[in-house]
Amino acid sequence: MADEKRAPSSGSSKAGAQHTEAPDGLHSAAAERGFAATDENGQSLVQFDPKAEARLRRKLDLFLVPTVSLLYLFCFIDRANIGNAKIAGLEKDLGLKDYDYNALLSIFYISYIVFEIPSNIMCKWVGPGWFIPAISLGFGIVSLATAFVHNFAQAAGVRFLLGVFEAGMMPGIAYYLSRWYRRSELTFRLSLYIVMAPMAGAFGGLLASGILTLDHVGGVTGWRMIFVVEGIITIGLSVISFLTLTDRPETARWLTQEEKDLAIARVKSERVATTEVLDRMDSKKLLLGILSPVTMSTAFMFLLNNITVQGLAFFAPTIVRTIYPDKSTVMQQLYTVPPYVVGGFFTLALPLVSWRLDRRQIIIILSTPLIIVGYSMFLGTANSSARYAATFLLSSSLFAVGPLSNSQVSANVVSDTARSSAIGLNVMMGNVGGLIATWSYLPWDGPNYPIGNGLNLAACCTVLLVSTATLVWMKWDNRRREGRSAEEELAGMSQQEIQDLDWKHPAFRWKP
């Protein structure tokens, strides 16, 4: 939208003169365009009433999180329900052979990866209040269309389009929420929608098993009913979200003017040298977001993590079938549910700890040991009970890296533009991992899949090494920055030049 390109003021131009007076004046001044909420050393100039912040936070949680969480739930269901459809007869009806199923999964990720960063840039330009509902409507329609494919070529076409529309969903929501929440608060709020990934595994399995007990839905039967029902639900939620999502605090009719000022000032107070929360897009800041060392390191870790996340999502039903081959299809679907419930709990618990500590990197490091043990069990035993237990260990830590990594790249850039490209790169790299995952469990590697499980074990061990090395580097570079003089380095520079430095600003510190 045209108004997305400017950052409206929240008060008169005299507001900046109030920034040493009463708290309400501070909020208004910090919200004003052209007023920086930090000094040249990056220290906040504004103080906030904790009770007013708590009231605002509860209001944001109520009006923002439920809608994006439901949309992401069905985004993930519409992506992963092909795994449920596979064991319900999709392969046979479409005449898939050899690696055709893996190819279908890969086609989705090709478009998903290609459109990731462009989608998040478009989300900033159009405005998330319109963009997120629009792409949700798109992948709902495509999911519905999947029920009517009859061969590999048609299935490949709809999977490609599904990737186009879903590409902007995860990074778009992460970027959207970063407009509203503080750095420490963001991780837990991201987990409230990313928890829908393991919940989609649980709910998707329950929903698929329930749908398959029906004789027909309209004129379709069997696995096709899964796509019809879930596609229609997604379309309905998308239409509602056009009415419920708000672009930014300034346009939120459900906030008072004082609450709008507070919402803007809170975000500003953590962004060194920032005079406007929603800056104009330019290529320099887009590149700074992508080239931040923490962005690149975190994105690589998320790539490795997503090999395991997406592998579990797509192949959990197949793995369960190899563990319990004598069970009915409905029972096999139901066996996929409990590990995802456990995963959902830890996807909220670990980011909650991160919120309280305002730390993300150490939580990423601590998320790896259980995954290593889980894949070691897959490789070390053919016992059905032990291997099923291993799926609980995997889901307990895998999904939490999503909110932690997106929050980490968001916390370690300054401008809104850099944030959009940093999150876009992180999720794009994560989906490169998803593409790799589609080829990690090959038909000839079954039933124990040593190659697939070995790949995932190696990926998780690498995450442990890279995340630890990154934490050490962040602390080292922060100590190096302590010896720099912000006054000397910024002398003679204009406000815009200072603001354009982003994470290269001498007063900026990496947030571990």
Side-chain angles (χ1 to χ4, degrees):
M1 309 298 287
D3 65 346
E4 181 61 15
K5 299 179 185 177
R6 62 178 185 269
S9 299
S10 303
S12 71
S13 59
K14 297 178 181 178
Q18 302 173 347
H19 94 272
T20 57
E21 299 177 2
D24 288 348
L26 292 179
H27 302 163
S28 179
E32 177 71 25
R33 180 172 177 155
F35 175 85
T38 66
D39 62 21
E40 63 184 10
N41 293 312
Q43 300 300 312
S44 175
L45 298 171
V46 189
Q47 296 179 348
F48 301 102
D49 178 2
K51 292 182 179 179
E53 280 199 275
R55 287 193 299 269
L56 174 65
R57 199 162 46 236
R58 286 193 294 269
K59 206 167 186 179
L60 298 181
D61 291 343
L62 177 64
F63 280 87
L64 300 177
V65 175
T67 298
V68 296
S69 296
L70 281 173
L71 290 177
Y72 191 68
L73 170 66
F74 278 89
C75 168
F76 208 89
I77 286 176
D78 290 343
R79 176 194 320 176
N81 56 14
I82 192 171
N84 300 108
K86 177 191 176 188
I87 65 173
L90 176 142
E91 279 187 305
K92 180 180 178 181
D93 289 352
L94 298 187
L96 304 184
K97 300 177 181 177
D98 299 324
Y99 304 115
D100 285 349
Y101 177 71
N102 301 81
L104 275 183
L105 301 183
S106 297
I107 287 167
F108 166 85
Y109 276 104
I110 290 171
S111 57
Y112 203 22
I113 292 166
V114 169
F115 287 92
E116 200 78 64
I117 294 177
S119 286
N120 226 36
I121 294 173
M122 185 64 69
C123 184
K124 176 177 172 61
W125 187 75
V126 173
W130 292 97
F131 186 76
I132 292 173
I135 60 175
S136 303
L137 180 62
F139 66 70
I141 293 171
V142 171
S143 181
L144 177 62
T146 309
F148 303 99
V149 301
H150 295 283
N151 53 53
F152 174 81
Q154 293 172 354
V158 295
R159 290 295 294 182
F160 183 87
L161 289 176
L162 189 68
V164 172
F165 286 113
E166 287 201 7
M169 199 63 183
M170 184 180 187
I173 296 175
Y175 161 67
Y176 175 53
L177 294 180
S178 73
R179 292 183 166 192
W180 302 81
Y181 290 102
R182 280 181 178 270
R183 178 186 66 237
S184 61
E185 301 163 353
L186 182 61
T187 308
F188 183 64
R189 272 68 194 181
L190 295 183
S191 77
L192 291 175
Y193 86 86
I194 292 179
V195 72
M196 293 303 165
M199 288 298 98
F203 182 62
L206 287 171
L207 187 57
S209 62
I211 292 170
L212 291 173
T213 62
L214 302 174
D215 291 330
H216 61 87
V217 174
V220 300
T221 58
W223 60 267
R224 299 179 188 274
M225 297 187 298
I226 297 174
F227 294 103
V228 168
V229 173
E230 294 173 358
I232 289 173
I233 294 173
T234 303
I235 291 170
L237 289 172
S238 302
V239 172
I240 294 171
S241 67
F242 275 108
L243 305 175
T244 58
L245 286 187
T246 303
D247 265 350
R248 55 192 183 273
E250 296 97 320
T251 60
R253 290 189 293 270
W254 39 272
L255 290 178
T256 65
Q257 186 59 52
E258 181 181 345
E259 289 171 333
K260 292 177 182 179
D261 290 344
L262 177 58
I264 298 166
R266 280 169 14 103
V267 174
K268 253 193 181 184
S269 68
E270 295 186 328
R271 300 184 183 180
V272 59
T274 296
T275 60
E276 53 190 5
V277 174
L278 300 185
D279 59 320
R280 295 179 183 273
M281 277 197 298
D282 66 72
S283 58
K284 181 179 179 180
K285 281 183 281 190
L286 286 172
L287 285 174
L288 282 171
I290 291 171
L291 298 177
S292 161
V294 172
T295 297
M296 292 190 290
S297 169
T298 305
F300 178 60
M301 289 186 290
F302 195 41
L303 180 156
L304 297 169
N305 170 258
N306 238 32
I307 295 175
T308 54
V309 168
Q310 300 302 336
L312 187 64
F314 285 123
F315 293 99
T318 301
I319 292 170
V320 167
R321 185 167 60 180
T322 66
I323 297 173
Y324 299 105
D326 298 328
K327 301 293 184 181
S328 67
T329 298
V330 171
M331 283 303 300
Q332 290 171 354
Q333 302 276 11
L334 291 175
Y335 269 116
T336 66
V337 174
Y340 281 111
V341 174
V342 172
F345 171 79
F346 282 100
T347 302
L348 294 176
L350 294 178
L352 182 59
V353 173
S354 170
W355 174 20
R356 298 308 182 190
L357 299 178
D358 192 14
R359 293 291 184 272
R360 291 150 296 278
Q361 196 71 20
I362 189 64
I363 308 297
I364 293 174
I365 293 170
L366 294 176
S367 71
T368 56
L370 288 180
I371 306 173
I372 293 172
V373 172
Y375 279 111
S376 297
M377 289 171 66
F378 269 139
L379 288 168
T381 180
N383 180 273
S384 296
S385 298
R387 301 187 85 207
Y388 187 55
T391 63
F392 287 85
L393 296 179
L394 300 181
S395 61
S396 67
S397 300
L398 280 176
F399 295 99
V401 177
L404 288 165
S405 64
N406 280 313
S407 178
Q408 184 68 325
V409 298
S410 175
N412 284 285
V413 293
V414 178
S415 68
D416 189 70
T417 297
R419 185 165 284 101
S420 68
S421 61
I423 294 173
L425 176 71
N426 186 59
V427 179
M428 185 195 80
M429 292 296 286
N431 288 308
V432 172
L435 177 60
I436 296 171
T438 63
W439 294 94
S440 59
Y441 290 91
L442 300 171
W444 52 264
D445 195 32
N448 293 328
Y449 299 101
I451 294 177
N453 292 323
L455 172 66
N456 282 292
L457 177 60
C460 186
C461 290
T462 307
V463 169
L464 176 60
L465 294 174
V466 173
S467 57
T468 302
T470 301
L471 178 61
V472 172
W473 179 85
M474 292 170 78
K475 290 185 174 182
W476 171 82
D477 197 55
N478 280 346
R479 288 194 298 270
R480 185 182 64 86
R481 287 170 179 252
E482 292 290 346
R484 298 169 63 180
S485 170
E487 293 183 6
E488 292 179 7
E489 293 189 34
L490 301 178
M493 298 178 68
S494 68
Q495 179 62 50
Q496 187 61 51
E497 289 173 330
I498 294 172
Q499 197 163 285
D500 287 346
L501 290 172
D502 208 87
W503 54 268
K504 292 185 176 182
H505 192 289
F508 177 82
R509 298 293 182 271
W510 303 110
K511 316 300 189 303

